[in-house]
Amino acid sequence: MDVVFLSRLQFGLTTAFHIIFPTLTIGLALYLVIVEFLWLKTREEIYYRMYRFWVKIFAIHFAVGVVTGITLEFEFGTNFARFSQAVANVIAPLLAYEGMTAFFLEAGFLGIMLFGWNRVPRVIHFLSTCLVALGATLSSFWIMAANSWMQTPAGYELVDGKFMVTDFWKAIFNPSFPTHLIHMVLASYETAAFVVAGISAYFLLREKDVLFYRKSLKLAFLLAVMIAPLQVFVGDQKGLVVAHHQPAKLAAMESHWETNTEGGAPFVLFAIPDMEAERNRFEVTVPNGLSLLITHSMNGKIQGLKDFPPQDRPNALITYWTFRIMVGIGFLFPAVMLWGIVLWWRNRLFDTPLFLKTLVAIQPLGFIATVSGWVTAEMGRQPWVVYGLLRTTDGVSPIAAGNVIWSLTLFMFFFALIGASYFFYVLRTLRRGPDLTSPIPPVQRPAGMRPVKDSM
Amino acid sequence: MDLVHLWLCLVGLVIILYVVLDGFSLGVGMLFPTARNEEERDVLMNSIAPIWDANQTWLVFGGGALFATFPMVYTILFSALYIPLLTFIFGLIFRGVAFEFRANSTRKTKWNRAFFLGSVVAVFAQGITLGGYISGTTVVDGHFAGGPFDWLHAFSVMVGLALIAGYSLLGATYLIIKTTGTVQERARRQAFWLALVVGGFMLLVSVWTPVHDPSIPARWFSVPRVYFIWTFPLLGVVAFFTLLKSLMAKKSVTPFLSAIVLFISAYLGLLAALYPYAIPPAVTVLEAASQRETLIFTLWGACLVLPVVLGYTIYSYWVFRGKVVAEEGYH
């Protein structure tokens, strides 16, 4: 096994493990901002209880997210030193800005958010929640800027194999950045909304703390109804950007081999792409579908994978299927929401067991869609680390494979251990349920507040 | 002062901020097993729980800033010091999740251990990284060209042990400020003994470094360094005796400040010994710097953002000022 493969495997593994946690914290932070705002505005105690309950889930995710995120920052240097040296002028400042603007903001106010209830006035506490949410979102801004630059580099010139900046504005706001960022932020909001909805639905089915979980579900539901259809739209826009700037990636995502010369390109509904034979096995296609999707015309020309030399093609099997999984989930979510709206209309949102069971079942799908989307984006960029300009094989560190085998083994072992502990503590926090009785901190209590029972 | 040297000072400042801030947090982690019961352990944990994450963020920024402004240092050193650096990260992972997992756990023993071991491993690996860095790196054509275990030798292990003592001292003096009663008494005793150990290590390093690398004393006695190099050991000696005196006089804040000054004196001595090399003995500061546009762009951020960050960090410390009590969690 060579250093390239091992380093990619390690980076992919740490990213996939890491991304689960910020995905939820970005979304849950928004949920907490809304909940605390409602508490301060309506003075209904239930919102305070909701905040204190969901913030526990937030805190556990945050802790794991932080430590795994630091790992990634180090891996640029340890595992991809040649890449890092080539691109340092362009994307390293973005990481520095992430540290300065986002990470500090989150870390600085998280303490007040978790421990500051007795120590600061309520407005400062609310402000802290907002700043943590802002920090989490800013974090994705910088990371997506760096990542989308690797997909569609801009604002640079190549001098002796090094990328020199000519225009930071263009480098940050590179062609794929806007859709890349919005797609990711919406994925976070969507994932968190379905997690809260799924957990709430589970306890509603068991008739535990019914009033509490109804309120939680309602809020998550409203969030999901707004975001799920929006995400489908943004996803479509993102597809157009990929088609325009990364045609080989699009061809792999759609498992499209031959460039259509006469008539439209078919949409491959189901297939097993075979890289060796350069064709699909058992394909089910929709005639003209791909042309319609990408060019919005029946006969639009779409480049096929065969247009690219074999050494420049991404792995179609992985890219095609991870993309299918993401898109499938992306459509499933708004479909379930549509069903929910109908139930809401009939005033049966909380007492349709099948709907609640569905919410429970689809709860983890947001994470799966996010990870699949990442794999699609990153595998689709291969064999390039900077699209079209620098090959991944030329980006790795000059280190011994044994180093990476050692670290990879430890990562797998530790991630398994931390992942298992994380599940254990999240499940236990959930099993214990919300605390509906302990006194509200005096500094925080708004005058004339209504207790839990009245407000529901 | 030119842009590169301005950034050298800024990166240097960020690193010492990280060393002091995460140093005392890690130090508390290493003193963790000396707490007698679960309640005392809660006190130790709560003394750093609201601020450890902000402390550790200086590492994230330091890493990002180093990558942006001195990419060659970042890429060459991180390849050369692969194993100690990732060991450091593994330690930080366990130290970091222990805060949250321990608070959620009913059987706390294993997370107590993870917290302690994570802290010790992180600090020891950090010391070895530093020792390996000082000892020199093989560089060919701007890339690391040495072996995977170049960093492992008696000198780097000694630096690792010295850092364990040093951070524990920072942790103990911090606990004197934040605690009362028996916990405070114990921290005071620990600080006293640790101060002696740290003093011994600093003496040892001062003797061993010139033996280990003869080019360093040559730089010490070159102009203009020869005129001010003696101020650093002098500062160290003054800080050392202030520390001992303030501990015996049962002062609460002075020991912590003296310990910080002790660290700063060692740090400045080290920087003066290494300059103008960014990676001894191969790459100088000017060679390692990134392009001018990048330095300026990143400097804008640092000038606008860091004062604000410092402001709210101080505010956060102010919010959590005073002595800690065992029951102040959020669960």
Side-chain angles (χ1 to χ4, degrees):
Chain A
M1 282 192 280
D2 64 335
V3 180
V4 182
F5 172 76
L6 290 166
S7 288
R8 282 182 60 193
L9 187 62
Q10 178 173 306
F11 202 88
L13 183 82
T14 37
T15 315
F17 188 74
H18 168 70
I19 200 171
I20 292 171
F21 301 94
T23 303
L24 193 78
T25 46
I26 292 169
L28 209 49
L30 176 75
Y31 189 81
L32 290 171
V33 167
I34 297 169
V35 168
E36 192 168 15
F37 174 77
L38 287 171
W39 181 49
L40 294 176
K41 195 171 179 320
T42 65
R43 298 179 174 184
E44 288 177 27
E45 189 187 329
I46 181 84
Y47 290 119
Y48 169 78
R49 303 295 178 195
M50 278 163 71
Y51 187 99
R52 295 303 296 260
F53 178 68
W54 293 110
V55 85
K56 288 181 196 169
I57 306 292
F58 175 86
I60 297 174
H61 276 81
F62 194 93
V64 186
V66 167
V67 292
T68 50
I70 294 177
T71 314
L72 285 175
E73 192 196 27
F74 273 63
E75 279 180 343
F76 283 118
T78 51
N79 294 80
F80 293 96
R82 286 176 195 278
F83 157 75
S84 300
Q85 215 170 81
V87 302
N89 284 310
V90 191
I91 70 170
L94 310 184
L95 298 180
Y97 266 87
E98 191 215 1
M100 282 190 281
T101 59
F103 228 98
F104 273 122
L105 209 53
E106 289 178 279
F109 289 97
L110 183 76
I112 296 177
M113 194 175 158
L114 295 178
F115 304 98
W117 284 101
N118 290 312
R119 290 172 179 262
V120 294
R122 57 189 168 140
V123 176
I124 300 283
H125 193 278
F126 176 58
L127 201 64
S128 302
T129 311
C130 293
L131 289 171
V132 169
L134 176 70
T137 310
L138 270 178
S139 196
S140 60
F141 176 93
W142 295 111
I143 293 303
M144 299 316 280
N147 185 267
S148 64
W149 185 85
M150 288 159 68
Q151 307 279 355
T152 52
Y156 69 91
E157 59 179 355
L158 260 171
V159 181
D160 298 334
K162 275 192 188 174
F163 293 84
M164 304 301 251
V165 181
T166 52
D167 187 340
F168 266 110
W169 185 264
K170 278 188 188 153
I172 295 171
F173 294 94
N174 59 74
S176 63
F177 174 65
T179 48
H180 212 43
L181 173 69
I182 297 169
H183 198 49
M184 182 66 214
V185 171
L186 287 182
S188 305
Y189 292 164
E190 202 176 3
T191 302
F194 278 93
V195 163
V196 174
I199 292 168
S200 305
Y202 176 81
F203 287 107
L204 286 176
L205 283 166
R206 308 187 108 204
E207 294 179 5
K208 211 180 142 199
D209 297 314
V210 173
L211 294 176
F212 179 88
Y213 285 113
R214 277 191 175 188
K215 203 90 172 177
S216 295
L217 174 58
K218 216 186 218 167
L219 207 57
F221 182 80
L222 285 172
L223 206 60
V225 163
M226 286 188 282
I227 288 158
L230 197 61
Q231 180 70 310
V232 173
F233 173 75
V234 173
D236 175 57
Q237 295 297 309
K238 188 167 156 55
L240 300 184
V241 175
V242 171
H244 189 250
H245 293 278
Q246 298 175 293
K249 185 198 244 184
L250 182 90
M253 276 158 66
E254 301 291 0
S255 203
H256 177 59
W257 293 95
E258 308 275 354
T259 307
N260 52 315
T261 43
E262 299 160 29
F267 181 74
V268 184
L269 210 55
F270 178 91
I272 297 173
D274 187 335
M275 291 287 287
E276 299 271 303
E278 301 187 318
R279 64 181 182 83
N280 294 328
R281 284 187 273 163
F282 325 108
E283 62 174 15
V284 180
T285 60
V286 180
N288 300 50
L290 190 59
S291 291
L292 197 61
L293 266 177
I294 300 300
T295 63
H296 295 187
S297 85
M298 290 299 277
N299 296 318
K301 189 175 154 190
I302 311 280
Q303 273 190 300
L305 256 189
K306 282 190 189 172
D307 265 17
F308 305 92
Q311 71 273 15
D312 289 353
R313 293 176 197 165
N315 185 315
L317 184 66
I318 297 173
T319 316
Y320 177 81
W321 274 106
T322 51
F323 181 60
R324 284 291 165 296
I325 292 168
M326 181 190 74
V327 171
I329 295 169
F331 277 105
L332 179 68
F333 278 166
V336 173
M337 285 300 100
L338 204 62
W339 179 18
I341 290 170
V342 173
L343 292 176
W344 184 303
W345 194 262
R346 294 184 186 160
N347 225 345
R348 295 200 49 195
L349 185 65
F350 299 121
D351 40 16
T352 310
L354 188 62
F355 179 69
L356 295 178
K357 279 179 192 160
T358 309
L359 285 181
V360 175
I362 63 172
Q363 183 225 315
L365 292 186
F367 296 114
I368 294 172
T370 307
V371 173
S372 303
W374 264 104
V375 175
T376 310
E378 301 303 279
M379 288 296 287
R381 195 191 59 227
Q382 300 302 330
W384 308 100
V385 64
V386 180
Y387 198 71
L389 296 166
L390 181 67
R391 281 178 191 275
T392 311
T393 45
D394 297 329
V396 292
S397 297
I399 49 171
N403 279 6
V404 194
I405 293 177
W406 167 80
S407 58
L408 184 60
T409 314
L410 282 181
F411 270 125
M412 288 201 273
F413 177 69
F414 289 157
F415 283 175
L417 192 68
I418 286 167
S421 311
Y422 148 80
F423 265 112
F424 181 78
Y425 293 118
V426 166
L427 291 180
R428 196 163 63 198
T429 305
L430 292 174
R431 215 170 29 243
R432 282 181 181 164
D435 168 11
L436 297 173
T437 49
S438 64
I440 293 170
V443 180
Q444 274 281 328
R445 181 169 221 145
M449 196 179 59
R450 286 190 284 160
V452 173
K453 285 190 202 87
D454 296 0
S455 66
M456 284 185 287
Chain B
M1 189 156 52
D2 65 279
L3 209 52
V4 174
H5 285 86
L6 185 61
W7 261 114
L8 185 68
C9 295
L10 257 175
V11 171
L13 181 69
V14 169
I15 291 175
I16 191 69
L17 266 171
Y18 168 75
V19 164
V20 169
L21 291 172
D22 210 25
F24 79 71
S25 318
L26 287 162
V28 171
M30 289 190 290
L31 295 173
F32 208 56
T34 63
R36 294 258 164 68
N37 50 46
E38 217 54 64
E39 197 189 327
E40 286 190 2
R41 280 189 276 272
D42 285 344
V43 168
L44 260 54
M45 207 85 177
N46 291 344
S47 75
I48 47 175
I51 45 154
W52 76 273
D53 194 20
N55 290 352
Q56 191 175 276
T57 301
W58 290 99
L59 174 71
V60 179
F61 175 56
L66 189 68
F67 186 10
T69 56
F70 297 99
M72 274 181 91
V73 179
Y74 175 81
T75 55
I76 294 172
L77 283 187
F78 278 39
S79 307
L81 301 165
Y82 187 95
I83 292 174
L85 271 174
L86 283 184
T87 309
F88 168 53
I89 295 293
F90 290 134
L92 286 188
I93 288 177
F94 277 90
R95 196 269 305 242
V97 296
F99 281 98
E100 211 45 55
F101 288 172
R102 180 182 179 274
N104 280 288
S105 176
T106 42
R107 297 215 321 260
K108 297 186 187 298
T109 317
K110 60 184 173 182
W111 292 115
N112 290 339
R113 272 189 209 132
F115 185 56
F116 166 69
L117 282 175
S119 305
V120 175
V121 167
V123 174
F124 187 57
Q126 203 182 326
I128 288 194
T129 306
L130 177 65
Y133 165 62
I134 297 171
S135 307
T137 309
T138 317
V139 180
V140 176
D141 291 336
H143 290 284
F144 171 61
F149 291 98
D150 285 5
W151 46 271
L152 187 61
H153 38 69
F155 181 76
S156 64
V157 171
M158 189 271 301
V159 177
L161 294 174
L163 207 62
I164 288 182
Y167 281 1
S168 299
L169 173 65
L170 281 176
T173 50
Y174 174 75
L175 284 175
I176 295 174
I177 301 175
K178 294 298 280 186
T179 60
T180 52
T182 52
V183 183
Q184 192 191 32
E185 277 309 310
R186 192 170 49 240
R188 208 167 258 143
R189 280 197 306 279
Q190 287 166 340
F192 186 82
W193 290 110
L194 285 165
L196 295 181
V197 177
V198 170
F201 268 120
M202 288 181 101
L203 216 60
L204 183 63
V205 172
S206 307
V207 177
W208 196 346
T209 306
V211 177
H212 183 71
D213 182 356
S215 73
I216 288 178
R219 282 201 293 278
W220 276 346
F221 298 111
S222 69
V223 180
R225 257 166 292 209
V226 70
Y227 298 120
F228 62 81
I229 197 85
W230 50 271
T231 52
F232 304 137
L234 189 70
L235 186 69
V237 169
V238 171
F240 178 72
F241 285 105
T242 316
L243 175 62
L244 288 187
K245 220 177 117 191
S246 61
L247 281 171
M248 285 189 288
K250 302 208 174 215
K251 295 252 176 64
S252 64
V253 182
T254 321
F256 185 54
L257 296 179
S258 320
I260 291 174
V261 173
L262 198 61
F263 257 84
I264 291 174
S265 73
Y267 182 66
L268 291 177
L270 176 72
L271 290 188
L274 293 178
Y275 185 84
Y277 291 106
I279 305 173
V283 182
T284 64
V285 170
L286 285 172
E287 289 166 340
S290 58
Q291 83 180 95
R292 199 179 154 73
E293 286 78 357
T294 300
L295 293 176
I296 292 173
F297 177 69
T298 318
L299 192 63
W300 272 108
C303 292
L304 293 173
V305 179
L306 285 185
V308 181
V309 170
L310 276 171
Y312 65 64
T313 306
I314 292 167
Y315 172 74
S316 175
Y317 272 85
W318 174 250
V319 165
F320 294 103
R321 69 194 178 278
K323 304 283 181 186
V324 278
V325 284
E327 66 268 16
E328 192 173 32
Y330 69 96
H331 294 93

